[in-house]
Amino acid sequence: MNISTETLHKKLKEIFGYNSFRGKQEKIIQHLLSGNDSMIIMPTGGGKSMCYQLPALISNGCAIVVSPLIALMKNQVDILRTYYKNESIAHVLNSSLSKTQTKQVKDDITNGKTKLLYVAPESLVKKENTDFFSSTNISFYAIDEAHCISEWGHDFRPEYRKLRDIIESIGKAPIIALTATATPKVVEDIQEKLLFKQKHCIQKSFKRDNLAYVVLQEESQFQRMLRVIRGVGGSGIVYVNRRKKTKEVAKFLLENNISADYYHAGLDHIDRRQKQDRWIQNKCQVVVATNAFGMGIDKPNVRFVIHLDLPQSLEAYFQEAGRGGRDGKKAFAVLLMTPSMDIDLKKQIEQSFPEIATIKKVYLSLGNFFQIPIGSGENQSFEFDIAAFCNRYDLNVYEAYHCLHFLEKEGYIALSENFASPPRIHIAVKKEDLYKFQVSHKKYDFFIKTLLRTYGGLFEEFVKINEQQLADHLKVKRSVVVETLNRLEKLEILHYEAQSYLPKLTYTKARFDQVALRISKEVYHERKKTAFEKMEAVLHYSTTNHRCRSQLLLEYFGEKDSHRCGICDVCLERNKLELSELEFDEIENQLQEILKDKSLSLQELVYQVKGYREDKIIKVIDFLLEHNKLFEKDNQYFTK
């Protein structure tokens, strides 16, 4: 589809109200509309969604947007529907929909009403959906969080591995793959995995001019954290690695008169939503969270992001730190180091790779736990209480958790950590029998009428309900609604499935026996090697104190020719020397070259540096000595 620049700008103004595109958006959109595949790397908040929303709205057919972020999908759909005043313009397709709702979505697509369909990868791979899409006019595929498709990325998801085959089976159409963070190796891998007709990558620089990266070595983390929060002010996030620690840190902040709350994946979805909303609405200054917090949240006025633990990769750190300062104003990304943090991280990475024999033991124990015969269980889902499982088979919970994730990456199971199954009901009797029951049991009459008025399809299938909404209609407490539903189930009037917050484990393949179960040693060791390489990059960033923090991050992501940021802790220290970046770098390069294979006295060394005053050379030498880039013994200066 060829479209002129003038027409594209007109559509941008008509649909979204913007006068101009941001950055490389127009170039990306024109490339996609011309029928080409493209890989887009754009930091969070850079306008990625516009790159597929506008093309979808002006193209023939329906665009399929694949994303693992259910909350973000729903948010984007709600915005589009509100703007268009059209419930059919965009839809979400996932396992939370009833059969009736799923049919409505598909009818809207068939009738050409829907331009964007947001779908989770696990829903896309279902045969009934691929069969439907193969007879649908697909304008293009947008793969959000595309780094999930690469095993070398920081958030590999097995269900993404199937996307290439699924797209091939549905029917080829242009692909736009989008991510906020990816190394050159991951970028290459994504394009190969998605079978791009021609490799093409458009990347916005990762440089954040307003974000000051700071690493501080601290014995007393909590006290320094307090000083940072009070000194910077405004809204912020504190990241930690353990759920228990979120509560401990939030309690400490509250005790020191700082409005704080904690957040992790173990909380039920209502709690998470309330905590998130309080923070977004500035009713709470600080959220102390695990890495479960932040995906899909766009709060522009975050003034600081503090890490009290080392992340497992620079991709994760860049993404988390990058939640600061999205309004373009000054913000701080602060990593508070303690002497043992590097040891703790190494131990953490090592523990995340249990022995292959342990992984096999966990898999075999799972089959016994759920009583699944060999050769059965494919696509069956179970609520999974990991504590009960580990207790029964005498397993370490932390070790079992990592075994499960390895089995997930191998494609044997799928584990949903944040699964929250809403309550569902299905009326078990015929309409005439229900009417007779209402006549003879007057105390249930109004309750049943309210159910029937509020929800459709109760006689045909299980329907998800909102117990609090029912309670509000009936003007009673939620506990009364639950009690009444339980009584009606005992009377065999309806089937009631109560709400559950346990994780959901799904067998993606039929259960194997001990002999048939294959865990590749080569893949295992390659994954472990990659994890340790990522860890070494984190340690290099956090312990290097002579290079600009921003430059270190940018080089990791493939930007080799970046300049010093001037605002990180290292740059501020160098700025005190009253030397320009060019002067400092040229003097340092000369010193390194002079001392490459010999040692010299201070006088000899200063004499051999050409083109600069002695006081400037001495300043650079002192700085390099202080930061372990230069060494002195018995008045002899040398490098390692």
Side-chain angles (χ1 to χ4, degrees), residues 366 369-370 380-386 388-389 415-416 419-422 497-506:
L366 273 180
F369 187 67
F370 293 121
Q380 286 187 34
S381 297
F382 306 89
E383 286 185 359
F384 182 51
D385 186 336
I386 190 169
F389 170 70
L415 185 66
S416 172
F419 178 70
S421 172
E497 292 181 358
Q499 191 157 19
S500 168
Y501 295 104
L502 285 171
K504 184 181 182 183
L505 188 145
T506 303

mmCIF file of all heavy atoms in Angstrom, residues 366 369-370 380-386 388-389 415-416 419-422 497-506:
data_model
loop_
_atom_site.group_PDB
_atom_site.id
_atom_site.type_symbol
_atom_site.label_atom_id
_atom_site.label_comp_id
_atom_site.label_asym_id
_atom_site.label_seq_id
_atom_site.Cartn_x
_atom_site.Cartn_y
_atom_site.Cartn_z
ATOM 1 N N LEU A 366 5.864 -33.909 39.064
ATOM 2 C CA LEU A 366 4.672 -33.175 38.615
ATOM 3 C C LEU A 366 3.603 -34.130 38.099
ATOM 4 O O LEU A 366 2.416 -33.998 38.428
ATOM 5 C CB LEU A 366 5.024 -32.198 37.490
ATOM 6 C CG LEU A 366 5.507 -30.793 37.832
ATOM 7 C CD1 LEU A 366 5.786 -30.032 36.549
ATOM 8 C CD2 LEU A 366 4.506 -30.048 38.687
ATOM 9 N N PHE A 369 2.028 -35.792 40.948
ATOM 10 C CA PHE A 369 1.261 -34.828 41.744
ATOM 11 C C PHE A 369 -0.132 -34.610 41.142
ATOM 12 O O PHE A 369 -1.140 -34.564 41.847
ATOM 13 C CB PHE A 369 2.030 -33.511 41.804
ATOM 14 C CG PHE A 369 1.438 -32.475 42.725
ATOM 15 C CD1 PHE A 369 1.413 -32.669 44.099
ATOM 16 C CD2 PHE A 369 0.919 -31.294 42.217
ATOM 17 C CE1 PHE A 369 0.879 -31.697 44.955
ATOM 18 C CE2 PHE A 369 0.385 -30.319 43.052
ATOM 19 C CZ PHE A 369 0.371 -30.532 44.434
ATOM 20 N N PHE A 370 -0.178 -34.499 39.803
ATOM 21 C CA PHE A 370 -1.460 -34.261 39.122
ATOM 22 C C PHE A 370 -2.111 -35.554 38.647
ATOM 23 O O PHE A 370 -3.177 -35.519 38.024
ATOM 24 C CB PHE A 370 -1.249 -33.318 37.928
ATOM 25 C CG PHE A 370 -0.847 -31.927 38.310
ATOM 26 C CD1 PHE A 370 0.343 -31.383 37.846
ATOM 27 C CD2 PHE A 370 -1.635 -31.155 39.137
ATOM 28 C CE1 PHE A 370 0.728 -30.102 38.192
ATOM 29 C CE2 PHE A 370 -1.269 -29.865 39.496
ATOM 30 C CZ PHE A 370 -0.081 -29.345 39.016
ATOM 31 N N GLN A 380 -3.810 -29.828 29.089
ATOM 32 C CA GLN A 380 -4.565 -29.792 30.339
ATOM 33 C C GLN A 380 -3.937 -28.779 31.296
ATOM 34 O O GLN A 380 -2.719 -28.682 31.395
ATOM 35 C CB GLN A 380 -4.585 -31.169 31.001
ATOM 36 C CG GLN A 380 -5.505 -32.168 30.318
ATOM 37 C CD GLN A 380 -5.622 -33.462 31.109
ATOM 38 O OE1 GLN A 380 -5.593 -33.472 32.325
ATOM 39 N NE2 GLN A 380 -5.726 -34.568 30.388
ATOM 40 N N SER A 381 -4.781 -28.031 32.009
ATOM 41 C CA SER A 381 -4.311 -27.001 32.945
ATOM 42 C C SER A 381 -4.727 -27.351 34.365
ATOM 43 O O SER A 381 -5.802 -27.930 34.588
ATOM 44 C CB SER A 381 -4.873 -25.630 32.566
ATOM 45 O OG SER A 381 -4.405 -25.246 31.290
ATOM 46 N N PHE A 382 -3.871 -26.969 35.307
ATOM 47 C CA PHE A 382 -4.124 -27.272 36.717
ATOM 48 C C PHE A 382 -3.735 -26.074 37.578
ATOM 49 O O PHE A 382 -2.747 -25.397 37.295
ATOM 50 C CB PHE A 382 -3.277 -28.480 37.177
ATOM 51 C CG PHE A 382 -3.435 -29.702 36.336
ATOM 52 C CD1 PHE A 382 -2.627 -29.901 35.217
ATOM 53 C CD2 PHE A 382 -4.399 -30.659 36.650
ATOM 54 C CE1 PHE A 382 -2.765 -31.031 34.431
ATOM 55 C CE2 PHE A 382 -4.542 -31.789 35.859
ATOM 56 C CZ PHE A 382 -3.728 -31.979 34.756
ATOM 57 N N GLU A 383 -4.524 -25.838 38.628
ATOM 58 C CA GLU A 383 -4.076 -24.884 39.636
ATOM 59 C C GLU A 383 -2.907 -25.521 40.381
ATOM 60 O O GLU A 383 -2.961 -26.701 40.731
ATOM 61 C CB GLU A 383 -5.215 -24.557 40.602
ATOM 62 C CG GLU A 383 -6.269 -23.662 39.982
ATOM 63 C CD GLU A 383 -7.332 -23.247 40.981
ATOM 64 O OE1 GLU A 383 -7.243 -23.672 42.148
ATOM 65 O OE2 GLU A 383 -8.241 -22.510 40.599
ATOM 66 N N PHE A 384 -1.871 -24.729 40.602
ATOM 67 C CA PHE A 384 -0.623 -25.308 41.100
ATOM 68 C C PHE A 384 -0.144 -24.622 42.373
ATOM 69 O O PHE A 384 0.256 -23.459 42.348
ATOM 70 C CB PHE A 384 0.448 -25.226 40.013
ATOM 71 C CG PHE A 384 1.761 -25.842 40.393
ATOM 72 C CD1 PHE A 384 1.809 -27.130 40.900
ATOM 73 C CD2 PHE A 384 2.942 -25.129 40.245
ATOM 74 C CE1 PHE A 384 3.019 -27.702 41.257
ATOM 75 C CE2 PHE A 384 4.149 -25.693 40.588
ATOM 76 C CZ PHE A 384 4.193 -26.987 41.095
ATOM 77 N N ASP A 385 -0.201 -25.340 43.467
ATOM 78 C CA ASP A 385 0.306 -24.852 44.755
ATOM 79 C C ASP A 385 1.729 -25.384 44.909
ATOM 80 O O ASP A 385 1.945 -26.537 45.302
ATOM 81 C CB ASP A 385 -0.595 -25.356 45.886
ATOM 82 C CG ASP A 385 -0.206 -24.775 47.244
ATOM 83 O OD1 ASP A 385 0.968 -24.371 47.394
ATOM 84 O OD2 ASP A 385 -1.058 -24.743 48.144
ATOM 85 N N ILE A 386 2.708 -24.544 44.610
ATOM 86 C CA ILE A 386 4.102 -25.004 44.593
ATOM 87 C C ILE A 386 4.586 -25.399 45.990
ATOM 88 O O ILE A 386 5.394 -26.321 46.135
ATOM 89 C CB ILE A 386 5.037 -23.935 43.966
ATOM 90 C CG1 ILE A 386 6.430 -24.531 43.733
ATOM 91 C CG2 ILE A 386 5.092 -22.676 44.816
ATOM 92 C CD1 ILE A 386 7.347 -23.658 42.895
ATOM 93 N N ALA A 388 2.768 -26.822 48.416
ATOM 94 C CA ALA A 388 2.250 -28.170 48.694
ATOM 95 C C ALA A 388 3.008 -29.216 47.888
ATOM 96 O O ALA A 388 3.324 -30.306 48.383
ATOM 97 C CB ALA A 388 0.758 -28.227 48.364
ATOM 98 N N PHE A 389 3.322 -28.880 46.639
ATOM 99 C CA PHE A 389 4.068 -29.787 45.759
ATOM 100 C C PHE A 389 5.458 -30.090 46.344
ATOM 101 O O PHE A 389 5.866 -31.256 46.443
ATOM 102 C CB PHE A 389 4.190 -29.144 44.374
ATOM 103 C CG PHE A 389 5.121 -29.848 43.430
ATOM 104 C CD1 PHE A 389 4.800 -31.087 42.892
ATOM 105 C CD2 PHE A 389 6.329 -29.265 43.074
ATOM 106 C CE1 PHE A 389 5.662 -31.742 42.020
ATOM 107 C CE2 PHE A 389 7.204 -29.901 42.202
ATOM 108 C CZ PHE A 389 6.865 -31.135 41.673
ATOM 109 N N LEU A 415 3.774 -22.091 32.679
ATOM 110 C CA LEU A 415 3.428 -21.717 34.054
ATOM 111 C C LEU A 415 3.072 -20.246 34.096
ATOM 112 O O LEU A 415 3.881 -19.399 33.725
ATOM 113 C CB LEU A 415 4.606 -21.992 34.995
ATOM 114 C CG LEU A 415 4.355 -21.750 36.494
ATOM 115 C CD1 LEU A 415 3.321 -22.732 37.027
ATOM 116 C CD2 LEU A 415 5.653 -21.877 37.275
ATOM 117 N N SER A 416 1.854 -19.956 34.510
ATOM 118 C CA SER A 416 1.402 -18.573 34.630
ATOM 119 C C SER A 416 1.518 -18.157 36.084
ATOM 120 O O SER A 416 0.723 -18.568 36.923
ATOM 121 C CB SER A 416 -0.045 -18.448 34.147
ATOM 122 O OG SER A 416 -0.544 -17.165 34.434
ATOM 123 N N PHE A 419 -1.481 -15.799 37.499
ATOM 124 C CA PHE A 419 -2.820 -16.270 37.145
ATOM 125 C C PHE A 419 -3.826 -15.947 38.247
ATOM 126 O O PHE A 419 -3.602 -16.232 39.417
ATOM 127 C CB PHE A 419 -2.794 -17.778 36.916
ATOM 128 C CG PHE A 419 -4.145 -18.356 36.594
ATOM 129 C CD1 PHE A 419 -4.744 -18.087 35.386
ATOM 130 C CD2 PHE A 419 -4.798 -19.162 37.503
ATOM 131 C CE1 PHE A 419 -5.979 -18.620 35.085
ATOM 132 C CE2 PHE A 419 -6.044 -19.697 37.208
ATOM 133 C CZ PHE A 419 -6.628 -19.423 35.992
ATOM 134 N N ALA A 420 -4.909 -15.323 37.872
ATOM 135 C CA ALA A 420 -6.003 -15.070 38.801
ATOM 136 C C ALA A 420 -7.294 -15.473 38.102
ATOM 137 O O ALA A 420 -7.742 -14.823 37.169
ATOM 138 C CB ALA A 420 -6.062 -13.603 39.194
ATOM 139 N N SER A 421 -7.854 -16.594 38.484
ATOM 140 C CA SER A 421 -9.044 -17.107 37.829
ATOM 141 C C SER A 421 -10.282 -16.434 38.423
ATOM 142 O O SER A 421 -10.562 -16.595 39.615
ATOM 143 C CB SER A 421 -9.123 -18.623 38.040
ATOM 144 O OG SER A 421 -10.353 -19.110 37.585
ATOM 145 N N PRO A 422 -11.024 -15.657 37.629
ATOM 146 C CA PRO A 422 -12.212 -15.000 38.167
ATOM 147 C C PRO A 422 -13.310 -16.019 38.467
ATOM 148 O O PRO A 422 -13.324 -17.116 37.893
ATOM 149 C CB PRO A 422 -12.638 -14.048 37.042
ATOM 150 C CG PRO A 422 -12.066 -14.639 35.808
ATOM 151 C CD PRO A 422 -10.815 -15.355 36.207
ATOM 152 N N GLU A 497 -17.762 -21.737 40.459
ATOM 153 C CA GLU A 497 -16.315 -21.867 40.619
ATOM 154 C C GLU A 497 -15.802 -20.591 41.268
ATOM 155 O O GLU A 497 -15.870 -19.508 40.688
ATOM 156 C CB GLU A 497 -15.635 -22.064 39.258
ATOM 157 C CG GLU A 497 -15.959 -23.394 38.610
ATOM 158 C CD GLU A 497 -15.239 -23.565 37.275
ATOM 159 O OE1 GLU A 497 -14.525 -22.626 36.854
ATOM 160 O OE2 GLU A 497 -15.408 -24.632 36.658
ATOM 161 N N ALA A 498 -15.312 -20.725 42.503
ATOM 162 C CA ALA A 498 -14.852 -19.556 43.261
ATOM 163 C C ALA A 498 -13.569 -18.992 42.663
ATOM 164 O O ALA A 498 -12.859 -19.669 41.913
ATOM 165 C CB ALA A 498 -14.629 -19.938 44.719
ATOM 166 N N GLN A 499 -13.269 -17.749 43.013
ATOM 167 C CA GLN A 499 -12.058 -17.097 42.526
ATOM 168 C C GLN A 499 -10.816 -17.786 43.089
ATOM 169 O O GLN A 499 -10.805 -18.230 44.227
ATOM 170 C CB GLN A 499 -12.056 -15.631 42.950
ATOM 171 C CG GLN A 499 -10.979 -14.810 42.280
ATOM 172 C CD GLN A 499 -11.329 -13.339 42.260
ATOM 173 O OE1 GLN A 499 -12.165 -12.884 43.011
ATOM 174 N NE2 GLN A 499 -10.686 -12.579 41.385
ATOM 175 N N SER A 500 -9.769 -17.850 42.252
ATOM 176 C CA SER A 500 -8.530 -18.491 42.690
ATOM 177 C C SER A 500 -7.345 -17.636 42.264
ATOM 178 O O SER A 500 -7.348 -17.035 41.199
ATOM 179 C CB SER A 500 -8.396 -19.877 42.060
ATOM 180 O OG SER A 500 -7.094 -20.383 42.245
ATOM 181 N N TYR A 501 -6.321 -17.573 43.138
ATOM 182 C CA TYR A 501 -5.115 -16.816 42.813
ATOM 183 C C TYR A 501 -3.893 -17.719 42.717
ATOM 184 O O TYR A 501 -2.765 -17.263 42.699
ATOM 185 C CB TYR A 501 -4.872 -15.722 43.856
ATOM 186 C CG TYR A 501 -5.957 -14.683 43.855
ATOM 187 C CD1 TYR A 501 -6.924 -14.655 44.849
ATOM 188 C CD2 TYR A 501 -6.032 -13.749 42.831
ATOM 189 C CE1 TYR A 501 -7.930 -13.706 44.833
ATOM 190 C CE2 TYR A 501 -7.036 -12.803 42.799
ATOM 191 C CZ TYR A 501 -7.986 -12.778 43.814
ATOM 192 O OH TYR A 501 -8.973 -11.844 43.778
ATOM 193 N N LEU A 502 -4.113 -19.022 42.662
ATOM 194 C CA LEU A 502 -2.984 -19.939 42.517
ATOM 195 C C LEU A 502 -2.440 -19.866 41.091
ATOM 196 O O LEU A 502 -3.184 -19.599 40.148
ATOM 197 C CB LEU A 502 -3.426 -21.373 42.814
ATOM 198 C CG LEU A 502 -3.642 -21.737 44.283
ATOM 199 C CD1 LEU A 502 -4.282 -23.108 44.386
ATOM 200 C CD2 LEU A 502 -2.326 -21.703 45.052
ATOM 201 N N PRO A 503 -1.130 -20.100 40.926
ATOM 202 C CA PRO A 503 -0.597 -20.170 39.561
ATOM 203 C C PRO A 503 -1.281 -21.283 38.776
ATOM 204 O O PRO A 503 -1.822 -22.221 39.354
ATOM 205 C CB PRO A 503 0.888 -20.495 39.782
ATOM 206 C CG PRO A 503 1.174 -20.092 41.178
ATOM 207 C CD PRO A 503 -0.092 -20.301 41.934
ATOM 208 N N LYS A 504 -1.215 -21.165 37.465
ATOM 209 C CA LYS A 504 -1.836 -22.153 36.595
ATOM 210 C C LYS A 504 -0.734 -22.848 35.800
ATOM 211 O O LYS A 504 0.069 -22.189 35.130
ATOM 212 C CB LYS A 504 -2.814 -21.459 35.653
ATOM 213 C CG LYS A 504 -3.600 -22.381 34.743
ATOM 214 C CD LYS A 504 -4.513 -21.547 33.852
ATOM 215 C CE LYS A 504 -5.359 -22.409 32.954
ATOM 216 N NZ LYS A 504 -6.181 -21.599 32.043
ATOM 217 N N LEU A 505 -0.679 -24.167 35.892
ATOM 218 C CA LEU A 505 0.325 -24.941 35.154
ATOM 219 C C LEU A 505 -0.367 -25.719 34.048
ATOM 220 O O LEU A 505 -1.356 -26.406 34.293
ATOM 221 C CB LEU A 505 1.072 -25.884 36.099
ATOM 222 C CG LEU A 505 2.275 -26.620 35.503
ATOM 223 C CD1 LEU A 505 3.368 -26.775 36.556
ATOM 224 C CD2 LEU A 505 1.896 -27.991 34.957
ATOM 225 N N THR A 506 0.158 -25.577 32.838
ATOM 226 C CA THR A 506 -0.428 -26.259 31.671
ATOM 227 C C THR A 506 0.604 -27.182 31.043
ATOM 228 O O THR A 506 1.761 -26.779 30.835
ATOM 229 C CB THR A 506 -0.891 -25.229 30.619
ATOM 230 O OG1 THR A 506 -1.827 -24.337 31.224
ATOM 231 C CG2 THR A 506 -1.546 -25.922 29.431
#
